[in-house]
Amino acid sequence: MTKQERGTRTRDALIRSAAGEFDLHGYALATLSAISVGAGVSPGALHFHFENKAAIAEAVEGAACTTLRRTARIAYRHRSNALQNLADTTHALARLFREDIVVRAGFRLSCANDSRTELNLRQEWQSCVQQRLAEAADEGLLAAGVGRQQDLARTIVAATVGLVTLCQDTGEWLSPQTITGLWRTLLPTLTAPEALAELEPAGTAAVITRSLDPVG
Amino acid sequence: MTKQERGTRTRDALIRSAAGEFDLHGYALATLSAISVGAGVSPGALHFHFENKAAIAEAVEGAACTTLRRTARIAYRHRSNALQNLADTTHALARLFREDIVVRAGFRLSCANDSRTELNLRQEWQSCVQQRLAEAADEGLLAAGVGRQQDLARTIVAATVGLVTLCQDTGEWLSPQTITGLWRTLLPTLTAPEALAELEPAGTAAVITRSLDPVG
């Protein structure tokens, strides 16, 4: 292993350990010493990579953002239509939230009022939902009479953000079953019965799996 | 003013000041000195009423819980049917979240993983939604084929909890317009068109107003 590879590996371990501490104790109570212990490195090694706690938090947010954006991008690349893509993207992102502590912690940090960066991933998700609904309208998928795109976008954003909040109680809230139930409930409000028959609330398996492919 | 009235007034001022500090800085970073300054009382007066920060947080949670439960109870007392009651209750509770900082802070504290009490108001809200849907089924209001009460309950809980989370970004997420838009979107998934025509997504004005009547 080269010196550079070792450096990258240490940095990643620190980001992961910090995410765990932020997830467990919140930003305010997380300590640098617990983070370096969790990463199995010396305090000196931590300070070589990060000046202070704020710098690590920023790195956690950045890593979460990169992973979430990449996953959404890959799901989009394999879209069949805008509504199916919305369901697929939600399934793929939920899986990240379930499995990746950096995504969970980074998302929360980016949404906190005292966030250290300009990122707000909730707002970015809202833009994504609005764009997909606009595309669905262009594709003729939004049910006739559904002129209330803003109501629909807000309901989808609120419900998905709510699932992330609720998963603090139990991970069940972000399970594939819950996400599927959400789309079984919401898709009929979005589209006409004939289009509905073509949509899969449980997500398109290929897209969901591929989104997590590291080379995607 | 009797000594007892003065005591109650001081205690209320401390609870309100603490709610403001928790709302702004989070529980971990809120300080007793800022809370006593905010309430306009001496540190000694604070310690007369509350042993420590945890005791004040408990009082904030308790006060929020009392207000939320009372409001839900009054809305229920004036119900016409279970689905309208669900919409009315959401409107009344949203108004509390908009206007009452103790409700906002207490709700967040009760949902935090490190909550000092057994309360979890999110779970209590979930039970309330499930119960209303069961009543709606008994009243013949749930649309034929809607056997998926659990999906519906989860979607409603997720969307409403999401609105509370999102209102940290902007209060617009708990405005009467947003709540009305939510019910305009969700009610058609719950009930048949003929029942839908009788329901008011904007809430029954009398109920919403009465819920906040202090003698209710």
Side-chain angles (χ1 to χ4, degrees):
Chain A
M1 189 162 33
T2 67
K3 199 171 163 184
Q4 201 188 346
E5 284 167 342
R6 268 202 308 278
T8 305
R9 197 173 283 197
T10 303
R11 197 175 182 276
D12 288 350
L14 284 164
I15 288 176
R16 189 156 295 275
S17 169
E21 290 296 314
F22 296 149
D23 198 47
L24 204 60
H25 306 294
Y27 176 77
L29 295 185
T31 65
L32 289 179
S33 61
I35 293 170
S36 59
V37 168
V41 306
S42 68
L46 184 150
H47 282 289
F48 175 79
H49 288 280
F50 299 105
E51 200 186 332
N52 49 34
K53 192 160 69 169
I56 307 191
E58 208 173 305
V60 172
E61 285 186 48
C65 176
T66 302
T67 308
L68 287 165
R69 282 186 187 151
R70 189 175 60 82
T71 300
R73 212 164 47 230
I74 297 167
Y76 190 67
R77 211 181 296 150
H78 295 89
R79 74 191 176 283
S80 49
N81 65 66
L83 290 184
Q84 186 63 58
N85 178 245
L86 206 45
D88 288 352
T89 306
T90 322
H91 276 284
L93 298 182
R95 185 167 158 192
L96 285 180
F97 274 95
R98 288 196 305 273
E99 298 179 356
D100 189 336
I101 197 164
V102 176
V103 164
R104 271 203 307 279
F107 183 82
R108 286 213 188 101
L109 285 169
S110 98
C111 301
N113 290 334
D114 57 350
S115 166
R116 280 141 299 277
T117 66
E118 289 298 308
L119 282 174
N120 183 323
L121 291 171
R122 273 201 302 255
Q123 282 166 18
E124 205 166 314
W125 172 237
Q126 190 184 351
S127 304
C128 176
V129 171
Q130 283 165 338
Q131 211 172 315
R132 280 319 151 271
L133 289 185
E135 288 172 16
D138 289 346
E139 293 168 3
L141 280 173
L142 287 196
V146 177
R148 290 191 304 268
Q149 268 186 45
Q150 195 185 37
D151 283 354
L152 296 171
R154 283 186 177 163
T155 301
I156 294 168
V157 170
T160 45
V161 165
L163 293 177
V164 172
T165 301
L166 284 155
C167 87
Q168 290 173 39
D169 293 341
T170 150
E172 184 56 31
W173 285 100
L174 282 176
S175 70
Q177 293 74 17
T178 307
I179 307 289
T180 301
L182 182 79
W183 288 112
R184 262 202 306 256
T185 306
L186 292 180
L187 284 174
T189 69
L190 295 168
T191 197
E194 55 275 26
L196 188 61
E198 303 291 314
L199 297 171
E200 181 45 80
T204 313
V207 173
I208 298 170
T209 316
R210 209 167 297 169
S211 310
L212 293 165
D213 176 355
V215 298
Chain B
M1 190 164 29
T2 68
K3 198 170 165 184
Q4 199 187 348
E5 283 167 342
R6 267 202 309 278
T8 305
R9 195 172 285 198
T10 302
R11 197 175 181 279
D12 288 348
L14 283 163
I15 289 176
R16 188 155 295 273
S17 170
E21 290 296 315
F22 296 148
D23 199 47
L24 204 59
H25 305 293
Y27 175 77
L29 295 185
T31 64
L32 289 178
S33 61
I35 293 170
S36 60
V37 167
V41 307
S42 69
L46 184 151
H47 284 289
F48 175 78
H49 287 280
F50 299 105
E51 200 186 333
N52 49 33
K53 192 160 70 170
I56 307 191
E58 208 174 306
V60 172
E61 284 186 48
C65 176
T66 303
T67 307
L68 287 165
R69 281 185 187 152
R70 189 175 60 81
T71 299
R73 213 163 45 233
I74 296 168
Y76 190 68
R77 209 181 297 151
H78 294 90
R79 75 190 175 283
S80 49
N81 66 65
L83 290 184
Q84 185 63 58
N85 178 246
L86 206 45
D88 287 353
T89 306
T90 321
H91 277 285
L93 298 182
R95 184 167 159 190
L96 285 181
F97 274 94
R98 287 197 305 273
E99 297 179 355
D100 190 335
I101 197 163
V102 176
V103 164
R104 272 203 306 279
F107 183 83
R108 288 213 187 101
L109 284 169
S110 98
C111 301
N113 290 333
D114 57 349
S115 167
R116 282 140 298 276
T117 66
E118 290 299 306
L119 280 174
N120 183 323
L121 291 171
R122 273 202 300 255
Q123 282 167 16
E124 205 166 313
W125 172 236
Q126 190 184 352
S127 305
C128 175
V129 171
Q130 283 165 336
Q131 211 172 315
R132 277 323 149 271
L133 289 184
E135 288 172 17
D138 290 344
E139 292 168 5
L141 280 173
L142 287 196
V146 178
R148 292 191 303 268
Q149 268 186 47
Q150 196 187 35
D151 282 354
L152 296 172
R154 283 186 177 164
T155 301
I156 294 168
V157 170
T160 45
V161 165
L163 292 177
V164 173
T165 302
L166 285 155
C167 86
Q168 289 172 39
D169 292 340
T170 150
E172 184 56 30
W173 285 100
L174 282 176
S175 70
Q177 293 74 17
T178 307
I179 306 290
T180 301
L182 182 80
W183 288 111
R184 261 202 308 253
T185 306
L186 292 179
L187 284 174
T189 69
L190 296 167
T191 197
E194 54 276 24
L196 187 62
E198 303 291 313
L199 297 171
E200 181 45 80
T204 313
V207 173
I208 299 169
T209 316
R210 210 167 296 167
S211 311
L212 294 166
D213 176 355
V215 297

